[in-house]
Amino acid sequence: MSNLNKIKSTLQQYDQAHILQFWDRLTEDERKSLLQDISEIDIEEVCSYFKRAVESLAEDQEKLDNRLKPIPPHLYGAVSRTSPALLSSYEETGLIQVSESKVGVLLMAGGQGTRLGSSKPKGMYDVGLPSHKSLYQIQAERIKRLTQLAQESTGKTGRITWLIMTSEHTMEPTLNFFRKHNFFGLNKDDVILFEQGLLPCFTFDGKIILDKQYKVSRAPDGNGGLYRALRDRKVLDEIERRGIKYLHAHSVDNILVKVADPVFIGYCVQKGADCAAKVVEKAFPSEALGVVCNVDGKYQVVEYSELTQKTAEMRNNDGRLMFSAGNICNHFFTLDFLKKIAYKHEKELKLHVAKKKIPYVDASGNLCIPEKPNGIKMEKFVFDVFSFSENLVVWEVNRDEEFSALKNADGAEKDTPTTARKDIYSLHEKYIIAAGGNFESTPAVCEISPLLSYAGEGLENIVKTKTFTSPLLLKADDESSIVLNGNSP
Ligand code: UTP
């Protein structure tokens, strides 16, 4: 059987023969491009995904109340409930791991950032701080500073490998951005970009959608595409080769993220965790934040919509919400755990379904833009691996110190460039006041370069007994010497 006939027969077997419906009128190049698309799709697998996704749509209607248990206190640490001595011990453990080059960072930066509405990858976004640093630059500088802190604390210079997951849309601009900015002063061998996979979009009745006569409509497979991408792009092998044992995985859009947070890493290492979630306390019962909890004996993230109001409002004796561990896309994994997921469980990950308006070509080959949802996109979520953990722990941090997400354009109620800026200003004002400085008036507009301070440390000599006016930008001594084409303050 010719190759084309083989493909036809597979497509027929899975009721997808329509993918070749325009074959006779395609040019040679278009035929090649379509065959390339088809070769990148495991038809059997994606059709089975579609079946599972539709089944999960039905399941999602159920409320989970009767099956839920909170995370037990011995697995649920919190910065606010831990003594300074123990916090220091966690930090020390974390810094030792960094100094021994055992820590890597997995940045999830493959999203399309639809709500923010910027045409560039979110990591390149400048929220308008005095320095005009992008999210990528802020994170790069935190990594740089942390390596320095680990060196100061242990006397050993370790490397933090920064593994950045991009997607079809974000790969090229991200790579160009890093090159243009000289990898923000990091060693370029320690920055690894890799691309996540795509999944075809389906009509509600299970047909793969074409967005050109010769092109299959595909979308990124969600931030849970991380595990497959780590495996298929051989990133796990590279992590192993470098001797990295612990990975801090987080989203690109949290402007306050403590990248490779030594306290979090130290806590997880001391607890012997294979997987962990950094969380913030849910602010109020109906807040749209998934909570980490136990369902039928397994850990998972439960969305607010999966709870009844009564359960969401339940409180402990101390007055805190019973289901309060708000998930913020910030996780710890051991390499062994990632390998277990990637090689054993990846295919079992849940498929989340979003009904979307997906452009398609009609039977005559014309492109149509639907006015209402006409199909589904399937995504995997990074946290859906919790159920495979043998020792999951949860670490609660203070929201004003560690979490402010950039999701929406200005004008929206929350999670905008304006709220991101404000959250940086108020945290950095707090750091300066704690170090003995003052402001003529507050709230202040102030920004501390991550190259100067990772989390408020080392500021006393610079700010003590001084009174500042806004706007204030505190930079490291050698900062202006770093090459930042077109991006210096
Ligand atoms: P979100 O779900 O908030 O998506 O991603 P988004 O792309 O940033 O924004 P919208 O929903 O289109 O407006 C949370 C994190 O997961 C990453 C994002 O880049 C972000 O860091 N992500 C999301 C991926 O890496 N891949 C994906 O396929 C989806």
Side-chain angles (χ1 to χ4, degrees):
M1 207 180 346
S2 75
N3 193 27
L4 183 62
N5 283 341
K6 256 195 228 154
I7 292 170
K8 271 187 188 158
S9 121
T10 311
L11 292 177
Q12 263 159 7
Q13 192 184 342
Y14 293 98
D15 213 8
Q16 304 295 342
H18 66 283
I19 294 178
L20 293 175
Q21 66 186 301
F22 302 109
W23 185 259
D24 292 340
R25 54 166 111 153
L26 299 183
T27 65
E28 242 352 270
D29 281 351
E30 290 170 344
R31 285 180 177 178
K32 266 197 205 142
S33 154
L34 182 57
L35 288 180
Q36 177 64 28
D37 269 15
I38 298 172
S39 73
E40 287 169 8
I41 301 170
D42 180 336
I43 299 289
E44 179 185 359
E45 181 179 53
V46 296
C47 289
S48 76
Y49 278 3
F50 173 80
K51 261 175 109 183
R52 266 176 54 207
V54 172
E55 282 160 19
S56 80
L57 264 185
E59 272 170 32
D60 282 348
Q61 311 304 321
E62 281 173 34
K63 298 281 182 203
L64 294 169
D65 299 57
N66 297 332
R67 299 159 53 196
L68 279 193
K69 284 209 179 83
I71 307 289
H74 69 283
L75 301 178
Y76 191 168
V79 169
S80 61
R81 298 189 287 279
T82 303
S83 70
L86 194 50
L87 284 175
S88 295
S89 140
Y90 293 152
E91 183 176 27
E92 197 186 317
T93 302
L95 291 174
I96 291 172
Q97 306 311 318
V98 170
S99 73
E100 291 178 353
S101 305
K102 288 192 182 144
V103 174
V105 173
L106 281 172
L107 175 64
M108 289 167 269
Q112 289 171 301
T114 340
R115 286 167 288 171
L116 184 61
S118 159
S119 57
K120 294 186 287 193
K122 237 192 226 184
M124 290 168 58
Y125 200 85
D126 160 14
V127 301
L129 294 170
S131 68
H132 288 289
K133 286 176 184 172
S134 61
L135 295 173
Y136 280 141
Q137 182 170 356
I138 293 170
Q139 291 168 30
E141 293 183 352
R142 289 190 185 138
I143 290 176
K144 205 160 179 239
R145 171 75 185 151
L146 184 62
T147 321
Q148 198 180 357
L149 286 175
Q151 204 277 333
E152 284 164 15
S153 156
T154 64
K156 274 170 81 177
T157 311
R159 307 156 73 176
I160 296 177
T161 303
W162 197 13
L163 305 135
I164 304 177
M165 182 171 80
T166 62
S167 60
E168 197 189 25
H169 314 271
T170 62
M171 182 62 164
E172 214 186 296
T174 301
L175 186 58
N176 290 339
F177 191 66
F178 273 80
R179 285 191 179 137
K180 181 175 164 208
H181 292 286
N182 219 357
F183 291 78
F184 302 105
L186 295 172
N187 178 356
K188 99 177 181 347
D189 294 340
D190 292 338
V191 183
I192 297 174
L193 272 67
F194 62 101
E195 206 172 308
Q196 71 175 97
L198 299 164
L199 280 173
C201 305
F202 280 82
T203 60
F204 294 125
D205 56 0
K207 295 276 196 292
I208 291 175
I209 295 177
L210 290 178
D211 65 11
K212 286 198 178 85
Q213 294 180 19
Y214 56 91
K215 195 167 190 325
V216 173
S217 172
R218 292 190 287 171
D221 55 357
N223 56 21
L226 176 69
Y227 309 103
R228 175 174 285 230
L230 285 174
R231 183 191 68 201
D232 294 353
R233 306 277 179 189
K234 308 270 180 263
V235 184
L236 285 177
D237 299 344
E238 182 60 22
I239 293 175
E240 186 141 41
R241 198 185 64 72
R242 289 176 179 239
I244 297 167
K245 295 226 161 354
Y246 308 114
L247 286 302
H248 180 210
H250 64 83
S251 63
V252 70
D253 50 17
N254 174 9
I255 198 163
L256 299 183
V257 67
K258 286 189 178 166
V259 188
D261 177 10
V263 178
F264 182 41
I265 289 166
Y267 169 74
C268 296
V269 170
Q270 288 196 19
K271 291 277 175 189
D274 56 359
C275 164
K278 189 183 264 200
V279 300
V280 295
E281 186 176 4
K282 215 169 141 177
F284 50 93
S286 60
E287 187 180 14
L289 203 56
V291 289
V292 186
C293 53
N294 192 311
V295 182
D296 299 335
K298 300 227 153 155
Y299 294 107
Q300 73 174 62
V301 173
V302 171
E303 302 296 340
Y304 171 67
S305 56
E306 296 173 293
L307 299 175
T308 60
Q309 193 183 346
K310 196 169 151 235
T311 303
E313 285 175 350
M314 275 158 65
R315 290 189 186 267
N316 300 327
N317 292 340
D318 62 5
R320 288 186 302 123
L321 290 173
M322 181 175 281
F323 296 102
S324 64
N327 185 51
I328 55 169
C329 198
N330 195 320
H331 309 300
F332 164 93
F333 303 116
T334 60
L335 172 62
D336 288 344
F337 181 76
L338 287 177
K339 280 165 60 181
K340 180 171 98 173
I341 299 300
Y343 296 113
K344 257 174 92 180
H345 298 294
E346 201 281 326
K347 281 192 180 192
E348 299 161 50
L349 292 186
K350 185 174 167 176
L351 293 156
H352 297 258
V353 180
K355 295 181 183 168
K356 297 268 182 184
K357 294 180 221 164
I358 302 165
Y360 65 99
V361 286
D362 64 14
S364 354
N366 299 317
L367 180 69
C368 306
I369 311 286
E371 280 169 10
K372 52 181 187 59
N374 61 324
I376 62 160
K377 287 187 179 177
M378 295 181 289
E379 284 193 333
K380 297 177 183 181
F381 287 174
V382 67
F383 57 70
D384 277 327
V385 297
F386 290 176
S387 59
F388 303 108
S389 168
E390 278 157 39
N391 188 12
L392 178 131
V393 295
V394 170
W395 182 239
E396 183 187 292
V397 296
N398 300 328
R399 193 186 289 232
D400 61 343
E401 291 173 1
E402 299 207 30
F403 183 55
S404 173
L406 176 66
K407 298 286 181 196
N408 305 309
D410 270 328
E413 221 171 89
K414 56 173 196 161
D415 302 338
T416 63
T418 300
T419 57
R421 261 191 331 269
K422 277 194 183 147
D423 289 338
I424 284 270
Y425 296 159
S426 68
L427 178 61
H428 289 191
E429 177 186 321
K430 199 166 108 174
Y431 286 158
I432 288 177
I433 290 174
N438 239 312
F439 286 91
E440 258 175 16
S441 66
T442 55
V445 170
C446 74
E447 180 191 355
I448 304 169
S449 166
L451 293 174
L452 181 65
S453 181
Y454 177 84
E457 80 290 341
L459 297 173
E460 288 82 0
N461 286 343
I462 306 166
V463 307
K464 206 168 180 178
T465 70
K466 289 200 182 134
T467 300
F468 298 101
T469 48
S470 296
L472 170 69
L473 172 59
L474 288 183
K475 295 200 280 185
D477 287 344
D478 56 349
E479 192 148 343
S480 36
S481 65
I482 291 173
V483 186
L484 299 173
N485 303 337
N487 206 20
S488 37

